[in-house]
Amino acid sequence: KERLEELVRDRLQDHERQLADRNNWLRESEDQVKQLQEQFRASEEQVQLCRNQIQDLEGQLFEQSKKDSQQHSLLHDLQKEREKDMHLASQLKEVEEREKHLRLNY
């Protein structure tokens, strides 16, 4: 009878140890899940920050593109004006040479 009680006690202690081990494992697993959830939330926040930065940069790029286009248009207009100025300068030089020639001949 004592031997049977000892076996039952040993068995009960084994089951209690196994239960305690499982409870510890469960607590550790729950802690790991919480940590992973926190990491996931932090990652989601980082992703949202990156998306916001991308949108900001796209907006800046669009504005810069508009400015570049305007500058290109102004540069093109300036080049046309320069060509006109050079043509007028060439015509003025011809007129001055004719005037000089006329003065010498009269």
XYZ file of all heavy atoms in Angstrom, residues 69-101:
282
model
N 10.853 72.572 -66.156
C 10.169 72.797 -67.425
C 10.065 74.301 -67.701
O 10.305 74.755 -68.829
C 8.776 72.164 -67.384
O 8.087 72.422 -68.578
N 9.714 75.063 -66.658
C 9.629 76.520 -66.820
C 10.998 77.101 -67.158
O 11.121 77.961 -68.041
C 9.076 77.166 -65.543
C 7.617 76.852 -65.284
C 7.175 77.289 -63.891
O 7.994 77.572 -63.020
N 5.866 77.310 -63.679
N 12.029 76.620 -66.468
C 13.380 77.122 -66.732
C 13.820 76.762 -68.149
O 14.446 77.571 -68.833
C 14.369 76.555 -65.711
C 14.226 77.177 -64.341
C 15.171 76.568 -63.322
O 15.718 75.490 -63.532
N 15.359 77.253 -62.207
N 13.480 75.564 -68.583
C 13.831 75.147 -69.938
C 13.130 76.046 -70.955
O 13.736 76.474 -71.941
C 13.434 73.684 -70.160
C 13.762 73.186 -71.530
N 15.048 72.888 -71.916
C 12.975 72.963 -72.611
C 15.044 72.500 -73.179
N 13.796 72.520 -73.618
N 11.872 76.344 -70.705
C 11.120 77.226 -71.591
C 11.743 78.622 -71.616
O 11.905 79.224 -72.691
C 9.666 77.293 -71.124
O 8.923 78.155 -71.940
N 12.113 79.147 -70.435
C 12.754 80.469 -70.374
C 14.102 80.457 -71.100
O 14.424 81.409 -71.825
C 12.959 80.893 -68.921
C 11.716 81.324 -68.159
C 12.056 81.555 -66.685
C 11.127 82.592 -68.762
N 14.868 79.390 -70.917
C 16.153 79.277 -71.585
C 15.970 79.270 -73.099
O 16.708 79.936 -73.826
C 16.872 78.003 -71.127
C 18.262 77.755 -71.709
C 19.200 78.903 -71.343
C 18.816 76.443 -71.240
N 14.966 78.538 -73.550
C 14.668 78.488 -74.993
C 14.312 79.893 -75.502
O 14.802 80.321 -76.557
C 13.527 77.506 -75.251
C 13.197 77.325 -76.681
N 14.027 76.653 -77.555
C 12.139 77.741 -77.418
C 13.489 76.657 -78.761
N 12.342 77.301 -78.706
N 13.474 80.606 -74.740
C 13.098 81.978 -75.127
C 14.325 82.887 -75.154
O 14.483 83.715 -76.069
C 12.055 82.549 -74.159
C 10.703 81.846 -74.274
O 10.496 81.098 -75.260
O 9.864 82.034 -73.371
N 15.211 82.726 -74.158
C 16.427 83.548 -74.118
C 17.330 83.250 -75.320
O 17.943 84.164 -75.884
C 17.199 83.294 -72.818
C 16.615 83.914 -71.551
C 17.382 83.435 -70.323
C 16.642 85.434 -71.636
N 17.414 81.977 -75.690
C 18.229 81.625 -76.851
C 17.662 82.265 -78.119
O 18.422 82.770 -78.964
C 18.299 80.105 -77.016
C 19.203 79.446 -75.983
C 19.151 77.930 -76.032
O 18.181 77.341 -76.503
N 20.191 77.297 -75.507
N 16.345 82.284 -78.264
C 15.721 82.938 -79.427
C 16.035 84.434 -79.424
O 16.361 85.004 -80.464
C 14.200 82.731 -79.409
C 13.753 81.371 -79.858
C 12.236 81.331 -79.905
C 11.729 80.016 -80.452
N 10.264 79.971 -80.481
N 15.926 85.058 -78.232
C 16.221 86.486 -78.122
C 17.694 86.757 -78.459
O 18.018 87.741 -79.126
C 15.906 86.998 -76.708
C 14.435 87.095 -76.395
C 13.694 88.060 -77.312
O 14.226 89.163 -77.593
O 12.593 87.710 -77.765
N 18.583 85.874 -78.025
C 20.004 86.038 -78.317
C 20.248 85.957 -79.823
O 21.037 86.735 -80.377
C 20.809 84.973 -77.582
C 22.306 85.137 -77.759
C 23.062 84.249 -76.780
N 24.474 84.498 -76.892
C 25.326 83.680 -77.493
N 24.914 82.560 -78.021
N 26.613 83.978 -77.570
N 19.584 84.995 -80.460
C 19.722 84.885 -81.919
C 19.240 86.162 -82.609
O 19.886 86.649 -83.539
C 18.940 83.671 -82.434
C 19.576 82.337 -82.067
C 18.690 81.147 -82.429
O 17.672 81.323 -83.131
O 19.028 80.030 -81.992
N 18.117 86.707 -82.144
C 17.618 87.967 -82.710
C 18.635 89.088 -82.490
O 18.903 89.879 -83.402
C 16.282 88.361 -82.068
C 15.108 87.523 -82.483
C 13.852 88.016 -81.754
C 12.679 87.079 -81.962
N 11.504 87.511 -81.172
N 19.183 89.165 -81.252
C 20.168 90.200 -80.932
C 21.399 90.078 -81.831
O 21.923 91.082 -82.327
C 20.593 90.108 -79.459
C 19.506 90.581 -78.509
O 18.500 91.151 -78.979
O 19.659 90.357 -77.278
N 21.851 88.835 -82.038
C 23.030 88.629 -82.885
C 22.720 89.049 -84.326
O 23.555 89.668 -85.002
C 23.474 87.164 -82.824
C 24.103 86.798 -81.478
S 24.557 85.070 -81.352
C 25.874 84.959 -82.536
N 21.513 88.742 -84.788
C 21.113 89.136 -86.143
C 21.065 90.664 -86.250
O 21.562 91.242 -87.220
C 19.753 88.519 -86.486
C 19.277 88.853 -87.849
N 19.883 88.363 -88.986
C 18.259 89.656 -88.269
C 19.261 88.840 -90.044
N 18.269 89.621 -89.642
N 20.478 91.309 -85.228
C 20.419 92.778 -85.228
C 21.822 93.380 -85.158
O 22.105 94.384 -85.832
C 19.573 93.283 -84.053
C 18.064 93.060 -84.177
C 17.366 93.469 -82.885
C 17.491 93.837 -85.355
N 22.701 92.768 -84.353
C 24.073 93.267 -84.251
C 24.772 93.138 -85.602
O 25.506 94.046 -86.023
C 24.835 92.483 -83.174
N 24.506 92.036 -86.294
C 25.097 91.839 -87.620
C 24.569 92.889 -88.600
O 25.332 93.483 -89.379
C 24.760 90.430 -88.120
O 25.190 90.258 -89.438
N 23.266 93.150 -88.539
C 22.679 94.171 -89.418
C 23.236 95.549 -89.088
O 23.540 96.346 -89.991
C 21.150 94.187 -89.283
C 20.471 93.000 -89.923
C 18.960 93.043 -89.749
O 18.448 93.649 -88.818
N 18.256 92.377 -90.657
N 23.392 95.838 -87.769
C 23.939 97.127 -87.354
C 25.362 97.288 -87.873
O 25.738 98.371 -88.364
C 23.902 97.231 -85.821
C 24.471 98.517 -85.233
C 23.673 99.724 -85.716
C 24.458 98.445 -83.713
N 26.139 96.227 -87.810
C 27.517 96.288 -88.295
C 27.528 96.591 -89.800
O 28.332 97.406 -90.273
C 28.226 94.966 -87.999
C 29.701 95.000 -88.310
C 30.375 93.716 -87.879
C 31.850 93.784 -88.195
N 32.553 92.562 -87.829
N 26.628 95.927 -90.538
C 26.539 96.191 -91.990
C 26.178 97.649 -92.251
O 26.778 98.301 -93.111
C 25.495 95.274 -92.635
C 25.922 93.839 -92.769
C 24.810 92.971 -93.376
O 23.904 93.519 -94.036
O 24.866 91.745 -93.169
N 25.218 98.168 -91.477
C 24.801 99.569 -91.654
C 25.968 100.499 -91.334
O 26.222 101.472 -92.072
C 23.563 99.872 -90.777
C 23.304 101.374 -90.705
C 22.342 99.136 -91.303
N 26.697 100.211 -90.252
C 27.836 101.061 -89.883
C 28.913 101.029 -90.962
O 29.509 102.063 -91.287
C 28.417 100.605 -88.544
C 27.551 100.957 -87.351
C 28.049 100.349 -86.054
O 28.894 99.425 -86.090
O 27.566 100.778 -84.989
N 29.144 99.843 -91.554
C 30.142 99.746 -92.615
C 29.699 100.526 -93.856
O 30.497 101.206 -94.495
C 30.414 98.274 -92.955
C 31.242 97.564 -91.897
C 31.491 96.096 -92.231
O 31.264 95.692 -93.388
O 31.907 95.356 -91.325
N 28.401 100.438 -94.174
C 27.891 101.221 -95.315
C 28.028 102.711 -95.051
O 28.417 103.480 -95.932
C 26.417 100.883 -95.582
C 26.211 99.582 -96.302
C 24.764 99.448 -96.774
N 24.362 98.060 -96.760
C 23.170 97.602 -96.451
N 22.210 98.447 -96.116
N 22.906 96.331 -96.479
N 27.671 103.111 -93.818
C 27.766 104.522 -93.458
C 29.216 104.992 -93.567
O 29.498 106.071 -94.112
C 27.245 104.703 -92.028
C 27.260 106.144 -91.562
C 26.798 106.278 -90.124
O 26.382 105.272 -89.521
O 26.872 107.402 -89.606
N 30.145 104.171 -93.090
C 31.562 104.511 -93.159
C 31.997 104.626 -94.628
O 32.705 105.560 -95.006
C 32.357 103.418 -92.433
C 33.841 103.656 -92.374
C 34.495 102.516 -91.600
C 35.997 102.620 -91.652
N 36.649 101.478 -91.001
N 31.539 103.681 -95.426
C 31.876 103.679 -96.846
C 31.309 104.918 -97.533
O 32.009 105.560 -98.336
C 31.332 102.398 -97.508
C 31.628 102.299 -98.938
N 32.907 102.074 -99.432
C 30.833 102.438 -100.050
C 32.870 102.046 -100.738
N 31.612 102.258 -101.143
